[in-house]
Amino acid sequence: MTKSPTILVFDSGLGGLTVLREVVAARPDAHYTYVADDAFFPYGNHSEDEIIARVVPLMGKLIGAHDPDLVVIACNTASTLVLSHLRAAYSVPFVGTVPAIKPACARSKTRRVSVLGTKGTVKREYTRALIRDFALGCEVTLVGSPELASLAERELSGHPISDADILAELAPCFVGDAKDAGARTDIVVLACTHYPLLLGRMEKLAPWPVEWIDPAPAIARRVSDLLGPHCGTIAQTGAEMIFTSNRVHGLGSTLTPFFGGRAVA
């Protein structure tokens, strides 16, 4: 690819910015359009059929408007439900986001892994199939958080959230005797792209140290592989933030680090 590629990153809200950040670092030569489907946020409030009926035609409009070379579905809920439909409907390459259960179970020393996701993601058959196929004898605890994604959105938007509210969502991930490092949870899979926005605070609030697995770096590697060699230039422009509600993002410099230092239109 000789010209700078265009990558469209899609999420229900702001969580996909954590994926965007890694993709931009891997492919600084690309132009980026980030789409937050805030008009339908949170996806957990809608049925599976409603999400499919929403995202598939919406993606067709976005592809028509922005002509991306590749689309990243930076949302676990959308990926586990809609990715196969999108690939059947459109010829653009799609890269999805799914719970990193396989690498987590391969790396766990205590054989106790927790998967922290939205209530919809942890109950979905797709997630349970990953456990059946890749748990490798690990005890996998599924934790469906009702509020953590919304808490992350609020903090990124500049609204204070309490440690107590975060800890209430986080606590069920920690299974076993806190005093026995060999028989307690040692890995937590972040199965929602919003959650790394709160990672620093979660690390401080955790009752004991664990490894947190964020899928974003692996997604970025996959994107780069699909795009092929860099075009040789670093794009300084081409950073656009779109809300499906048509509101102005109003986040200013907050967004700049996620877009690799570029000013965001």
Side-chain angles (χ1 to χ4, degrees):
M1 188 174 294
T2 56
K3 69 178 180 69
S4 293
T6 296
I7 299 174
L8 190 150
V9 179
F10 178 88
D11 183 30
S12 60
L14 300 178
L17 291 170
T18 64
V19 176
L20 172 73
R21 179 173 53 198
E22 296 293 331
V23 176
V24 171
R27 294 306 298 244
D29 57 321
H31 298 289
Y32 289 91
T33 298
Y34 184 96
V35 179
D37 189 16
D38 65 324
F40 215 60
F41 180 85
Y43 280 3
N45 288 352
H46 303 281
S47 71
E48 295 185 1
D49 287 343
E50 287 172 338
I51 295 170
I52 293 168
R54 165 73 177 180
V55 175
V56 176
L58 173 59
M59 187 56 62
K61 294 177 183 177
L62 293 172
I63 290 170
H66 301 282
D67 191 25
D69 295 284
L70 183 145
V71 176
V72 179
I73 305 299
C75 172
N76 283 267
T77 297
S79 294
T80 55
L81 284 177
V82 187
L83 206 53
S84 61
H85 299 275
L86 295 175
R87 287 172 172 155
Y90 310 111
S91 59
V92 176
F94 288 90
V95 176
T97 307
V98 298
I101 291 169
K102 181 178 180 179
C105 291
R107 284 151 61 170
S108 175
K109 295 180 173 61
T110 66
R111 319 307 294 155
R112 281 188 167 176
V113 170
S114 291
V115 178
L116 178 62
T118 64
K119 295 176 77 172
T121 294
V122 301
K123 75 178 182 181
R124 199 148 290 129
E125 172 57 26
Y126 189 103
T127 304
R128 297 180 184 276
L130 289 174
I131 294 172
R132 288 196 301 270
D133 292 343
F134 301 116
L136 303 174
C138 286
E139 175 188 322
V140 179
T141 300
L142 293 172
V143 179
S145 168
E147 298 295 336
L148 200 55
S150 294
L151 291 174
E153 292 251 336
R154 284 169 53 195
E155 178 163 91
L156 187 65
S157 298
H159 302 290
I161 59 174
S162 71
D163 286 349
D165 286 343
I166 297 174
L167 186 56
E169 305 293 304
L170 193 62
C173 294
F174 291 82
V175 178
D177 185 350
K179 298 179 181 179
D180 185 355
R184 66 192 189 192
T185 304
D186 67 344
I187 294 181
V188 176
V189 176
L190 300 176
C192 173
T193 55
H194 281 78
Y195 299 168
L197 292 171
L198 295 172
L199 182 56
R201 294 186 66 179
M202 293 193 293
E203 288 173 334
K204 293 178 182 178
L205 293 168
W208 59 77
V210 295
E211 179 181 359
W212 307 83
I213 294 190
D214 175 3
I219 295 168
R221 290 192 294 272
R222 179 60 177 159
V223 168
S224 192
D225 288 345
L226 287 174
L227 288 177
H230 289 225
C231 70
T233 60
I234 296 178
Q236 299 297 327
T237 59
E240 185 177 11
M241 178 87 178
I242 296 171
F243 288 97
T244 57
S245 65
N246 293 320
R247 69 182 174 97
V248 177
H249 62 72
L251 294 171
S253 60
T254 302
L255 292 176
T256 304
F258 295 102
F259 282 87
R262 307 172 202 190
V264 184

